[in-house]
Amino acid sequence: MPRYLLLETEVEFSAMRAQGAGGQNVNKVSSAVQLRFDVMASSLPEGIKQRLLARADSRLSREGVLVIKAQQHRSQPLNRADALARLQALIDEAAHVPKQRHATRPTLGSRKRRLEGKAKRGVVKALRGKVAGE
């Protein structure tokens, strides 16, 4: 499976302050990164675009823009790299074409086993009835 590489011009970064604990550093430094990737305007093949847009993903806007927020690291370059890696993972996942499933019929042996199991179960249930002599 070929790996589709992203062009730097197709990805838009913006820096912001990270959320959560972290003391003074989190209040002063804009180390979190928000990555915006317009799926339809990208140079990806049409099939990958369609599979990316078909995902039920909260990071995908109605306009087809994928927004990834990275704030795990304390430095902006590491968060940029993390966001790019997560986007690349999504694209690699969408590049995988699912195999077509062909419907098959159950084998004769499996049908017989199924019916035998049902017959045994029916006997067990029939024995649960009231006793005739009482």
Side-chain angles (χ1 to χ4, degrees):
M1 169 173 47
R3 188 166 183 171
Y4 294 96
L5 297 175
L6 297 167
L7 298 175
E8 204 53 49
T9 56
E10 296 177 348
V11 180
E12 181 184 319
F13 287 102
S14 58
M16 60 180 59
R17 291 194 180 134
Q19 297 171 321
Q24 289 181 354
N25 183 65
V26 85
N27 298 330
K28 294 190 301 187
V29 182
S30 297
S31 62
V33 171
Q34 185 181 52
L35 176 146
R36 295 176 67 79
F37 179 69
D38 191 350
V39 176
M40 290 310 292
S42 69
S43 62
L44 293 173
E46 206 56 41
I48 294 178
K49 287 182 188 179
Q50 294 307 317
R51 282 192 290 280
L52 270 175
L53 292 172
R55 292 174 59 94
D57 199 333
S58 60
R59 297 172 291 191
L60 192 64
S61 71
R62 285 196 180 107
E63 296 82 35
V65 177
L66 192 64
V67 179
I68 296 176
K69 186 175 180 185
Q71 58 182 8
Q72 189 173 3
H73 303 284
R74 284 182 62 150
S75 72
Q76 199 177 98
L78 286 176
N79 281 330
R80 280 175 68 105
D82 182 37
L84 275 173
R86 284 165 38 197
L87 176 61
Q88 186 67 55
L90 280 173
I91 291 172
D92 291 345
E93 195 176 302
H96 173 72
V97 180
K99 215 160 91 171
Q100 283 280 318
R101 186 189 182 283
H102 300 289
T104 58
R105 292 172 53 190
T107 62
L108 182 64
S110 68
R111 284 192 298 232
K112 282 183 180 175
R113 285 190 298 275
R114 181 179 141 267
L115 291 176
E116 286 169 7
K118 286 168 77 71
K120 279 184 192 173
R121 202 70 199 133
V123 169
V124 168
K125 288 185 175 191
L127 292 174
R128 287 188 190 150
K130 293 194 185 223
V131 179
E134 293 181 26

